[in-house]
Amino acid sequence: MSEHAVAGTAERTGSPHKRAWHLAERPLVWLAPLTLLLLITYVYPAIDVIRYSFTDATLLNPEYAYTTDSYRALIRSPDLPGILWVTFVFVVASVVLQLVLGLLVAMVLNRGVKRRLPGVSVVRIIILSAWIVPGVAAGIVWQLMFNEASYGFLNAILRGVGVSPVAWLSDPDLALWSAVIANVWRGTAFSMLLLYAGLVVIPSSLYEAASVDGATALKQFWYITLPQLRPILLINTVLISIFTLNTFDLILPLTGGGPGRATEVLALYTYNTVFRNFDLSNGAVLAVILLLISIVFTLIYVRLLPREL
Amino acid sequence: MKKKFLSAFLAGTILTGLAAGAAAQQLVTTDRVGSPDAPNVLTMRANPTQSPNSPSAEQKATFEKVWQSFAEAHPDWQVQFEFFGQDIGSEHARLLEQARAGRAPDCVTVDSFQLALFIKNGVLQPLDDFFSQEEIDDLFPFIRDGITGSDGHIYAWWWGTDLRVLYRNTEIVADTPETWEELQNAALEAAESGVEGVLFNGGRWEGTTFDWLANFWAQGGSLVDEDGKPIFGEGENREKMLRAMDYFKGLVDSGAAPRRVATIKDYNDFNAAAIAGSAAMFFGGHWQHFQLQEAMPEEAFAKWDVSELPGPTAGERATGTGGWTVAAFTDDPAKVEMCANLMREVYMGPANEVIGDLPTRESLFAELPKFQDPYFDKLKDYLVNGRARPGVPIYPEISNQIQITMGEVLSGTKEPEAALDGAWNRVMEAYTKM
């Protein structure tokens, strides 16, 4: 049977070949269900949040009016600068430490695999298990670790080696760093995973050539590993910045945002505004700010993705 | 071989069928009470500890009998359960949203301090027809006030309450501290012997505000006026607030309490310290008596005693009283009635005995066998000074700001005056918006 004959049959019977040809010509048809799904589950809620941010709505009163008062109130809020500063420190410190530690662990694992060392898979599973643990559970675990009672885990170790106990959570200056440690513990595995994937695809010939030229390990890392990992590092930075910015499930059980407001990040402040203060419109304004920051990160991510990979 | 396989298959099928049949007949499961074939369905959202899904095996087994009796008494009804998560504040905020959209469950266990939100929003059904005036009059006054709307109708049944007390290891602190000063001195003396003098909630959670408010109330302080407007930051109330804050700050600054109290946001921390023998005293909930009894060896538990929270003077006392209510959200009269039946037959009395929450009616306190015990006799006396949190919509924000203030004061970030002024301004901003 000739090709024309097949095409003719397909036209008459409406066979899969013909449908596939038509769908390829009309992407809107096959994109429509996905677009609809995204509109309903992502775009509509986002628009609704933006709409609420221009109202005076509270959870206590079903009636509301449209106004920009919530934006003005937020700008005047004496709490906002402190909240933004805590968020900034939390995000930057978490991202830097997750990147550095993630890279370190990925390189050790990569070296272990190349040398066929036993137990590498076990190490990988152990590290990944921290990532799998839900944020709330991680917060509870670290609350026990940082407990400042005589039976608190970390302080018991410090006492055992003759070091004075540390006020991990009760010292407002230290509490934020304790939260960073807990977040880094949870997030490093994700960084490690991405960076390890980047490391294994670097051609070994590059390192062999560098060795022949007499390059030291440090120079190889600086001139081969880092440039080769650049796209992964950038994407990793953007992704973990977004994750960290939206983190509050870990802080809620760990410190609840205290002492005072010492560990109250923007996401937790938003949560408290809506669910403790019942202030839907101010909460929506805060959510819009979070959304805008996340969109900036996402745009960076989108811009990096096609060019670098 | 084939025969064996066939026999095993048949036996398996029969057993599975029997098991399925038995499950169908079971009247109490973790998420249903009543026959699954019963034509009428009442949906109920509950705190797991107050449901057939109690995490305590002992309570679950006892509670099952209560639910079984209820199911047998109402064969045409089945109660289908859903459960609150741990964050009660946000769970209630979501419930309010659902109620306003007409999607709330028919019957719900509502935390007593959140009840006012629901009454004020008009999403609850009046229950006056289902309880006699005698029963209503029998309620402790603060309980009656808490369930009564501004129109005089009752909108929930507050069936169980609790209160805060001072626990002390009598081997370390022999005499009962009656005043703030006595407590601080006793705690300091204990701290010198190497244990933590006194522990209390000071972290970011509701328990911190609630436990500490007793010191404000003991002086006659009020958070809000009769119209629900905040007044705690003005005039005499402001002075009383500052005195109560200075009391806690003094405990920490003097070393009578460790600085880590600023991180405590769980009553279980006190149990752990008591069991470890590392604390002399703590401000806790009355229910911890039973937890300690269960967790400690008999001779260790015998060292612990409970007394009323100390006041600024021995004559000025108060203790925070909380607890849970049941309210009807449905507008179907038959379901409202069944929800009221549930309040009466499951919660008013039987649930008190199972869970240990104190009865809210004086006569029940005198009648129920569980509460005929010297420990409960003491608690009944303390209830005279019981104070409930104000049932007003602004309370959650007042509580939030007091938690922040306590953190700032206890960690030394701010002086009490500055911290209180900050809290007052923010509460008033929120109040204006309401």
Side-chain angles (χ1 to χ4, degrees):
Chain A
M1 194 182 277
S2 70
E3 281 182 23
H4 289 292
V6 172
T9 310
E11 271 174 31
R12 282 192 302 275
T13 60
S15 76
H17 287 292
K18 185 191 169 196
R19 281 201 299 272
W21 182 82
H22 275 300
L23 285 174
E25 288 293 304
R26 296 179 173 84
L28 274 182
V29 175
W30 57 267
L31 278 175
L34 180 64
T35 309
L36 195 66
L37 189 73
L38 286 175
L39 281 172
I40 294 170
T41 58
Y42 285 91
V43 179
Y44 172 71
I47 290 172
D48 217 27
V49 167
I50 294 167
R51 184 176 67 80
Y52 271 120
S53 75
F54 287 101
T55 68
D56 58 1
T58 74
L59 287 182
L60 305 173
N61 188 355
E63 287 167 13
Y64 56 83
Y66 286 94
T67 171
T68 54
D69 282 356
S70 297
Y71 281 92
R72 280 201 288 269
L74 192 75
I75 291 165
R76 287 197 311 267
S77 167
D79 298 325
L80 193 63
I83 300 284
L84 289 177
W85 173 248
V86 167
T87 309
F88 176 76
V89 172
F90 180 70
V91 171
V92 171
S94 294
V95 168
V96 169
L97 287 171
Q98 282 178 48
L99 276 179
V100 171
L101 289 174
L103 181 57
L104 207 66
V105 176
M107 286 170 68
V108 170
L109 277 178
N110 191 34
R111 186 59 66 90
V113 169
K114 279 184 178 165
R115 291 189 176 185
R116 296 175 191 277
L117 294 179
V120 172
S121 302
V122 177
V123 172
R124 201 160 37 197
I125 289 166
I126 290 170
I127 294 169
L128 277 175
S129 64
W131 184 48
I132 296 164
V133 172
V136 173
I140 292 169
V141 167
W142 278 96
Q143 221 251 347
L144 295 172
M145 302 273 276
F146 286 132
N147 195 315
E148 294 169 30
S150 56
Y151 44 81
F153 184 77
L154 290 176
N155 277 350
I157 292 175
L158 291 177
R159 279 196 191 91
V161 296
V163 178
S164 301
V166 175
W168 297 104
L169 300 176
S170 62
D171 181 338
D173 297 328
L174 207 55
L176 182 57
W177 292 101
S178 299
V180 168
I181 290 170
N183 192 46
V184 169
W185 174 81
R186 188 170 65 134
T188 296
F190 179 76
S191 280
M192 181 274 288
L193 205 65
L194 282 187
L195 294 168
Y196 178 73
L199 281 173
V200 293
V201 296
I202 298 176
S204 55
S205 57
L206 292 176
Y207 292 105
E208 287 162 11
S211 294
V212 170
D213 291 341
T216 61
L218 193 64
K219 282 192 172 173
Q220 286 182 26
F221 171 75
W222 194 256
Y223 291 109
I224 298 172
T225 309
L226 276 186
Q228 290 291 316
L229 280 181
R230 186 173 166 267
I232 300 284
L233 277 170
L234 289 171
I235 289 163
N236 195 2
T237 306
V238 171
L239 286 178
I240 59 179
S241 298
I242 295 173
F243 293 158
T244 309
L245 187 70
N246 290 298
T247 293
F248 82 95
D249 53 348
L250 180 136
I251 298 177
L252 197 60
L254 182 67
T255 64
R261 289 194 187 275
T263 55
E264 192 166 7
V265 293
L266 193 55
L268 182 58
Y269 185 50
T270 308
Y271 175 85
N272 283 336
T273 302
V274 176
F275 291 113
R276 301 267 184 274
N277 200 4
F278 305 117
D279 192 336
L280 195 56
S281 53
N282 272 10
V285 173
L286 292 164
V288 168
I289 293 175
L290 271 171
L291 186 69
L292 287 175
I293 300 173
S294 294
I295 284 173
V296 169
F297 280 122
T298 308
L299 288 176
I300 296 170
Y301 177 78
V302 169
R303 191 175 162 79
L304 291 174
L305 200 60
R307 197 184 52 171
E308 299 288 353
L309 289 179
Chain B
M1 185 68 190
K2 259 187 178 177
K3 270 188 177 177
K4 271 188 180 175
F5 175 77
L6 199 63
S7 308
F9 178 75
L10 280 172
T13 310
I14 291 165
L15 284 173
T16 310
L18 284 173
Q25 293 309 312
Q26 205 176 340
L27 289 181
V28 182
T29 67
T30 51
D31 61 357
R32 173 179 47 76
V33 166
S35 165
D37 303 325
N40 303 310
V41 176
L42 182 82
T43 55
M44 175 153 196
R45 186 172 301 165
N47 190 334
T49 55
Q50 300 158 12
S51 76
N53 194 21
S54 172
S56 157
E58 195 188 334
Q59 287 186 6
K60 184 174 180 172
T62 324
F63 221 170
E64 250 172 25
K65 291 174 194 159
V66 178
W67 290 110
Q68 179 81 22
S69 304
F70 181 80
E72 285 166 3
H74 305 282
D76 291 342
W77 285 84
Q78 54 171 309
V79 185
Q80 290 181 355
F81 281 89
E82 45 193 79
F83 303 103
F84 280 126
Q86 280 197 326
D87 189 349
I88 293 299
S90 61
E91 288 281 355
H92 281 71
R94 284 189 202 107
L95 177 63
L96 183 59
E97 275 298 280
Q98 281 185 305
R100 288 213 310 236
R103 290 184 288 105
D106 303 323
C107 195
V108 181
T109 63
V110 178
D111 199 334
S112 58
F113 87 95
Q114 301 270 6
L115 187 64
L117 281 180
F118 297 92
I119 296 178
K120 206 148 200 153
N121 274 271
V123 293
L124 302 181
Q125 296 300 319
L127 299 168
D128 309 66
D129 293 345
F130 305 101
F131 297 94
S132 68
Q133 194 56 46
E134 193 186 346
E135 285 170 330
I136 295 169
D137 291 343
D138 195 25
L139 290 165
F140 289 111
F142 71 90
I143 300 280
R144 201 168 43 239
D145 292 347
I147 59 172
T148 308
S150 54
D151 56 2
H153 293 295
I154 62 162
Y155 285 94
W157 192 255
W158 189 338
W159 57 272
T161 186
D162 51 36
L163 74 161
R164 276 73 197 149
V165 288
L166 172 68
Y167 287 80
R168 77 178 196 288
N169 183 331
T170 53
E171 204 172 62
I172 305 172
V173 182
D175 299 326
T176 309
E178 303 278 350
T179 64
W180 293 352
E181 193 182 354
E182 284 174 17
L183 179 105
Q184 181 162 334
N185 291 338
L188 273 172
E189 209 171 302
E192 281 166 17
S193 70
V195 296
E196 292 174 316
V198 61
L199 297 177
F200 50 84
N201 281 304
R204 283 273 306 258
W205 82 301
E206 171 61 22
T208 293
T209 301
F210 192 22
D211 295 359
W212 171 82
L213 274 175
N215 303 299
F216 174 63
W217 287 327
Q219 304 171 67
S222 293
L223 290 174
V224 296
D225 66 12
E226 282 177 1
D227 300 322
K229 185 185 174 198
I231 52 171
F232 69 87
E234 296 172 326
E236 279 184 16
N237 284 310
R238 183 175 186 276
E239 296 309 311
K240 287 167 185 169
M241 272 261 161
L242 289 174
R243 275 184 76 197
M245 273 178 199
D246 284 337
Y247 164 44
F248 268 32
K249 179 177 158 57
L251 290 176
V252 172
D253 289 352
S254 67
R259 203 158 286 278
R260 80 176 179 96
V261 291
T263 70
I264 297 179
K265 50 189 189 68
D266 188 345
Y267 289 103
N268 287 324
D269 274 13
F270 308 142
N271 289 346
I275 292 163
S278 60
M281 295 181 283
F282 65 86
F283 302 144
H286 84 269
W287 62 91
Q288 288 181 268
H289 172 85
F290 306 104
Q291 294 170 344
L292 291 178
Q293 191 172 27
E294 202 174 314
M296 293 171 107
E298 204 173 324
E299 67 276 14
F301 177 69
K303 294 174 190 169
W304 284 85
D305 195 12
V306 165
S307 58
E308 197 168 12
L309 291 177
T313 63
E316 295 173 287
R317 305 293 188 102
T319 181
T321 49
W324 284 79
T325 72
V326 180
F329 285 73
T330 176
D331 51 10
D332 178 338
K335 289 183 176 181
V336 174
E337 186 179 350
M338 191 47 55
C339 185
N341 289 337
L342 212 140
M343 296 173 199
R344 175 184 297 283
E345 293 165 35
V346 174
Y347 288 99
M348 189 202 293
N352 299 108
E353 293 225 88
V354 174
I355 299 168
D357 279 9
L358 306 174
T360 52
R361 287 174 55 196
E362 286 205 52
S363 62
L364 279 182
F365 219 134
E367 288 164 15
L368 293 175
K370 185 185 177 87
F371 300 97
Q372 309 317 309
D373 173 289
Y375 176 62
F376 286 110
D377 285 345
K378 272 205 278 193
L379 298 184
K380 196 180 172 189
D381 290 342
Y382 303 161
L383 266 184
V384 173
N385 294 321
R387 288 289 300 264
R389 289 158 286 187
V392 291
I394 191 65
Y395 175 77
E397 177 58 5
I398 294 177
S399 172
N400 182 36
Q401 291 301 333
I402 289 177
Q403 292 161 36
I404 293 168
T405 302
M406 290 303 291
E408 290 168 342
V409 169
L410 297 179
S411 64
T413 316
K414 279 188 186 171
E415 285 303 312
E417 288 83 356
L420 178 59
D421 289 343
W424 171 248
N425 292 335
R426 283 159 186 79
V427 166
M428 289 315 289
E429 265 174 43
Y431 180 74
T432 309
K433 194 163 181 182
M434 283 175 178

